[in-house]
Amino acid sequence: MDIKEVTVVGAGLMGHGIAEVVALAGLKVNLEDAFPEALEKARASIRNSLSRMVKSGKLTQEQADKVFAGMNFTTDLKGAVSSSDMIIEAVPEIPDLKVKLLREVSQNCRQDAIIASNTSNIRISTLAQEVSNPQRLLGLHFFNPPVVLKLVEVIKSDKTSDEVFEETYQFSKKIGKTPIKVLKDTPGFVVNRINAPESLLFCQILDKGLARPEEVDAFGKSQGLPMGPYELMDYVGIDTVVHSLNYYRDALDKEYGKCSYFNQFMDRKELGLKSGKGFYVWENGKALIPKASPSTVIDLMDVLSVEINESAKIIEEGIAKPADIEIGVKLGMNRPFGPISVAEGLTNAEIKRKLQKLSEKFDTKIFYPTKSIEEGKLRELLSGKVAREKDAPASEKAREVGTAQGSEGEPVSLRKDVENKVAYLILSNTRNNLINSDVLEGIERHLKALWNDKEINVIVLRGEGKNFSAGAQLTQFFSGPMDFAENARLGERTFRLLSEVPKITIAEMKGHVLGGGFELSTWCDIRVSTPDAIIGFPEVTLGLVPGWGGSQRLAKLLGMSRAAYLILTGERFDGKFAHEVGLVSKLFPAESIELETDRLAQDLAVRIAPVSAAMAKKLIYKGSEVSADNGLEMESIAMGLLYGTEDLKEGISAFLQKRKPDYKGR
Ligand SMILES: NC(=O)c1ccc[n+]([C@@H]2O[C@H](COP(=O)([O-])OP(=O)(O)OC[C@H]3O[C@@H](n4cnc5c(N)ncnc54)[C@H](O)[C@@H]3O)[C@@H](O)[C@H]2O)c1
């Protein structure tokens, strides 16, 4: 259906804004309200908003006049809905009022019209109780202010038809919004539901007398938030928060009712900005917040873990997909990153520990790690490899679970080809093999396991999929400069192991080999690449420097002049150039690079004496750090040590007998 005429019912804060958005998209709009004074206020607000757009050059006066002329303000509900293609309800968040109004709308609109509710929390199935055509009813949740915020949640109830859901999704795009799909109508949908346990946590902090609002807000601001949590609750209205918590108590989990601290503000009618006083006194639209030292009762990780836990529940319950949750929180809460990218940068164990402690401290089950976190499967859940409840047919579920078990969900896996004496460390973290603390931990663990393994002589680092690694996971969460510095140290320590492990290491470069991914390759003994691999250090373009040894390693490999140019310009170059300047030893065609690398690794694994490889690595890397005199001394000592080895005897006998050597590494 081509939606051309829309009626918005309820001309309050949200309704007038939604009507303006739809009119700005060039559609005919009826704005209906039961109260003429509400319509007058809406008319003036829309006029003001359009004038501001003319002043800022977003619209011409002519366009603004045309938008306004396309709007019909009315108190006649029946007349307003009778010919509309879509009706959007935005009356107060009172279930009985909405149920009654939606029944009336459904009785007076066209039978093929779409009916949408802008409810913030109430399940669509609850609102559908009395409408005559529930398959045409769904949720369309705008965010405040609708003219500014891009996000809308499109919410499907168990009765909404697929066709209505899809049409409304496309309509949201047409009016310039970024829709996310809410596949089941849980209370609070996605964004507000993720917020719900946080509201409970902040209520409990006051209930238990653990900190004062200004102390927690000082902490929030020290972490870069534009408003602390209590200032924000004052801003949106404490009554809104309390009503939501009560609704979640009745519809989601009775634990949402366990904190009573906010109720006293309701009794005193201290609702925040709108009443001039809440947690703080408000003057001229600003909260007068007493000076306070940042509280240590919670840290940012606590809050983020609670959000990640609720997001995981939403995915487990089949309510929304990870990508939509990420977009929802970013756009709906105006944040640079959402819970999914934060979770990708943390380990399952870290999140689980945090949640267990919070749950214990506040004696609240809502904070307890959900099933996938409890079972260590958060990563698979986020990547879609864990079967979700009622989300896929049985056969599909089995396949998904099988994949997860096959790869064990590890961001770095170890494959040993004992017959050929080659081991493979395979990066498989996210689509681009981004490197985070889990990846570093995996590399370290596997290298240590291979250290004295006599069955393996060569280690290949390979990226799963098209890329070697596109770099560090920039959304990984760090609590401060020391934490960030320690992460750099961890990377340096881990990568350095590649130059110290007594085996030959080969980096197989393909696709993106950027930042931390490029650094990883510089610590290997040999680099092979496809001609079209995209290589570079973009760090300086992001306000960073190569922090996992790249600034030091590249200068050693290419000399200061070339290293300075490549690091300071952040310029990308290809595998062909890397080969020309000697950074890469061999170029292999993209279609056969794995095969060629396997051949090279297998050849070195049997042809090169392992004791010689181990000694030569030390001489090259350690010997280059000392004076030439000492380096040469190290070399002669190495020769002395090798003299007594079985490998030397075997190497010479095989040469004389014209056969392949069979080295034992001793
Ligand atoms: N305020 C927000 O930040 C926000 C954000 C997203 C969604 N919402 C949701 O949007 C809806 C509206 O919220 P709001 O903040 O705009 O409320 P509001 O109180 O500002 O506006 C509600 C309007 O509905 C009108 N109204 C009441 N009964 C009516 C009836 N029977 N028929 C026609 N009009 C009627 C009122 O006169 C008022 O103008 C609620 O469901 C709310 O949860 C609000």
Side-chain angles (χ1 to χ4, degrees):
M1 184 205 295
D2 191 13
I3 296 169
K4 293 196 181 107
E5 182 183 328
V6 176
T7 292
V8 180
V9 181
L13 190 64
M14 293 303 291
H16 90 269
I18 297 168
E20 186 180 343
V21 169
V22 178
L24 280 165
L27 308 184
K28 182 170 179 237
V29 181
N30 305 305
L31 180 55
E32 194 274 344
D33 200 289
F35 302 92
E37 57 278 18
L39 279 178
E40 270 323 300
K41 206 170 152 200
R43 198 195 295 265
S45 301
I46 294 170
R47 265 260 180 246
N48 280 341
S49 164
L50 293 172
S51 300
R52 280 198 299 276
M53 287 187 206
V54 172
K55 269 197 196 131
S56 65
K58 284 191 191 134
L59 287 181
T60 63
Q61 187 59 52
E62 204 185 350
Q63 286 168 324
D65 290 343
K66 198 168 161 212
V67 169
F68 196 70
M71 300 184 78
N72 168 35
F73 298 84
T74 176
T75 51
D76 169 18
L77 181 71
K78 284 185 192 168
V81 301
S82 63
S83 61
S84 288
D85 303 308
M86 177 182 263
I87 296 104
I88 305 172
E89 160 290 296
V91 300
E93 190 81 347
I94 303 165
D96 289 348
L97 172 69
K98 283 189 190 277
V99 167
K100 188 171 156 290
L101 179 99
L102 288 167
R103 182 186 57 209
E104 206 178 335
V105 168
S106 72
Q107 285 166 353
N108 291 286
C109 69
R110 286 192 345 237
Q111 284 312 290
D112 65 342
I114 294 175
I115 309 175
S117 170
N118 183 49
T119 174
S120 307
N121 297 309
I122 307 169
R123 295 172 73 147
I124 306 305
S125 332
T126 307
L127 301 179
Q129 282 171 45
E130 297 188 19
V131 295
S132 55
N133 45 355
Q135 72 283 0
R136 301 205 67 80
L137 176 77
L138 82 173
L140 184 59
H141 182 208
F142 289 78
F143 286 71
N144 187 19
V147 179
V148 179
L149 292 193
K150 285 271 177 203
L151 182 69
V152 291
E153 293 177 330
V154 185
I155 306 134
K156 192 174 189 303
S157 83
D158 51 359
K159 298 218 171 65
T160 311
S161 76
D162 291 345
E163 182 202 350
V164 164
F165 188 57
E166 198 50 42
E167 274 178 15
T168 309
Y169 184 80
Q170 295 307 332
F171 164 80
S172 311
K173 284 188 177 169
K174 193 171 146 191
I175 59 169
K177 294 293 159 195
T178 307
I180 62 166
K181 289 185 177 176
V182 184
L183 305 163
K184 279 188 192 168
D185 67 333
T186 174
F189 317 120
V190 170
V191 178
N192 287 347
R193 175 154 167 198
I194 289 173
N195 235 334
E198 275 176 45
S199 304
L200 178 62
L201 176 66
F202 292 122
C203 185
Q204 287 179 301
I205 288 173
L206 302 189
D207 222 19
K208 290 182 183 291
L210 297 177
R212 282 173 296 151
E214 56 269 29
E215 291 169 336
V216 177
D217 281 354
F219 160 74
K221 285 197 180 152
S222 74
Q223 297 297 312
L225 294 178
M227 274 190 192
Y230 298 98
E231 186 184 0
L232 186 63
M233 285 190 265
D234 257 5
Y235 182 78
V236 297
I238 297 176
D239 53 336
T240 308
V241 178
V242 170
H243 287 144
S244 301
L245 283 172
N246 290 345
Y247 179 67
Y248 296 135
R249 174 199 61 204
D250 299 337
L252 201 58
D253 191 320
K254 62 179 184 326
E255 274 203 328
Y256 280 106
K258 72 188 297 178
C259 175
S260 58
Y261 195 89
F262 292 169
N263 290 336
Q264 57 186 281
F265 291 87
M266 297 287 277
D267 297 341
R268 296 199 297 263
K269 300 212 171 6
E270 292 174 0
L271 307 179
L273 170 66
K274 65 176 95 167
S275 64
K277 189 167 188 284
F279 299 114
Y280 306 116
V281 171
W282 286 73
E283 269 178 28
N284 301 324
K286 283 222 159 97
L288 306 178
I289 304 176
K291 276 217 154 37
S293 314
S295 164
T296 52
V297 68
I298 49 159
D299 60 31
L300 201 53
M301 261 294 288
D302 289 324
V303 181
L304 293 172
S305 300
V306 168
E307 280 186 10
I308 292 167
N309 202 30
E310 206 58 28
S311 304
K313 288 181 197 174
I314 287 176
I315 304 169
E316 285 169 359
E317 290 167 31
I319 293 162
K321 299 264 191 292
D324 275 352
I325 295 174
E326 179 76 3
I327 294 171
V329 172
K330 271 166 83 171
L331 298 185
M333 298 192 196
N334 201 11
R335 296 252 198 87
F337 49 74
I340 306 299
S341 52
V342 173
E344 281 171 349
L346 298 169
T347 63
N348 191 102
E350 279 174 275
I351 299 167
K352 183 171 161 181
R353 256 195 319 274
K354 271 280 171 201
L355 291 168
Q356 282 169 335
K357 277 196 186 150
L358 270 182
S359 173
E360 205 174 297
K361 183 168 169 183
F362 291 95
D363 187 25
T364 299
K365 286 202 295 296
I366 288 173
F367 305 141
Y368 194 78
T370 186
K371 190 166 176 280
S372 38
I373 299 179
E374 174 73 10
E375 293 174 357
K377 291 185 178 156
L378 180 62
R379 199 161 297 285
E380 289 108 295
L381 183 81
L382 300 183
S383 66
K385 285 181 182 166
V386 163
R388 292 169 297 274
E389 262 178 66
K390 300 179 199 140
D391 190 31
S395 57
E396 226 170 274
K397 278 187 191 178
R399 201 179 62 227
E400 287 181 345
V401 171
T403 318
Q405 283 170 349
S407 67
E408 288 170 5
E410 280 199 58
V412 186
S413 50
L414 169 64
R415 179 164 71 79
K416 277 171 63 175
D417 174 2
V418 175
E419 200 181 321
N420 289 306
K421 297 178 180 275
V422 179
Y424 296 85
L425 292 192
I426 299 169
L427 308 182
S428 52
N429 185 40
T430 68
R431 197 156 50 95
N432 296 324
N433 298 326
L434 297 182
I435 300 172
N436 59 14
S437 43
D438 277 355
V439 174
L440 295 176
E441 189 273 329
I443 294 174
E444 181 180 1
R445 183 161 37 87
H446 294 315
L447 283 179
K448 287 190 171 159
L450 292 170
W451 210 271
N452 290 317
D453 187 338
K454 293 281 178 271
E455 290 180 322
I456 298 297
N457 292 344
V458 176
I459 302 169
V460 173
L461 267 91
R462 177 170 282 166
E464 195 174 86
K466 290 194 181 118
N467 301 308
F468 177 66
S469 165
Q473 191 148 5
L474 294 173
T475 51
Q476 179 159 13
F477 169 73
F478 298 102
S479 63
M482 286 309 291
D483 204 5
F484 199 42
E486 279 311 317
N487 177 63
R489 281 228 182 88
L490 174 68
E492 288 160 3
R493 262 200 322 267
T494 308
F495 287 2
R496 185 193 282 259
L497 296 175
L498 287 161
S499 65
E500 292 184 343
V501 65
K503 320 270 173 198
I504 298 173
T505 53
I506 303 176
E508 184 183 79
M509 299 158 77
K510 61 181 179 182
H512 286 119
V513 188
L514 296 170
F518 181 23
E519 286 177 288
L520 176 59
S521 75
T522 64
W523 287 96
C524 291
D525 305 316
I526 297 173
R527 278 156 295 282
V528 300
S529 176
T530 60
D532 62 351
I534 301 164
I535 309 166
F537 277 146
E539 281 85 346
V540 291
T541 67
L542 300 167
L544 292 167
V545 291
W548 285 335
S551 67
Q552 307 302 300
R553 270 313 268 189
L554 196 64
K556 288 239 156 57
L557 296 175
L558 290 184
M560 273 200 205
S561 171
R562 276 218 165 94
Y565 181 80
L566 294 176
I567 292 173
L568 291 175
T569 60
E571 207 170 275
R572 291 178 179 201
F573 51 96
D574 58 17
K576 199 162 158 282
F577 173 84
H579 186 239
E580 279 160 18
V581 296
L583 182 66
V584 155
S585 304
K586 287 202 180 285
L587 279 184
F588 294 139
E591 56 282 8
S592 58
I593 184 164
E594 293 199 356
L595 197 71
E596 299 284 0
T597 310
D598 289 354
R599 277 195 194 131
L600 171 68
Q602 289 164 12
D603 171 53
L604 297 178
V606 292
R607 196 165 54 78
I608 306 303
V611 285
S612 301
M615 283 293 180
K617 278 182 75 158
K618 288 216 181 331
L619 291 173
I620 297 163
Y621 302 133
K622 300 276 182 205
S624 66
E625 303 288 333
V626 298
S627 68
D629 204 24
N630 287 338
L632 291 170
E633 197 56 38
M634 285 167 68
E635 191 181 83
S636 47
I637 292 171
M639 290 293 275
L641 283 174
L642 291 170
Y643 182 73
T645 63
E646 282 181 31
D647 277 2
L648 174 63
K649 286 181 201 131
E650 170 63 12
I652 290 174
S653 337
F655 175 73
L656 294 175
Q657 294 162 18
K658 297 191 175 27
R659 63 169 170 82
K660 277 192 175 169
D662 180 16
Y663 291 123
K664 301 282 187 255
R666 44 185 191 239

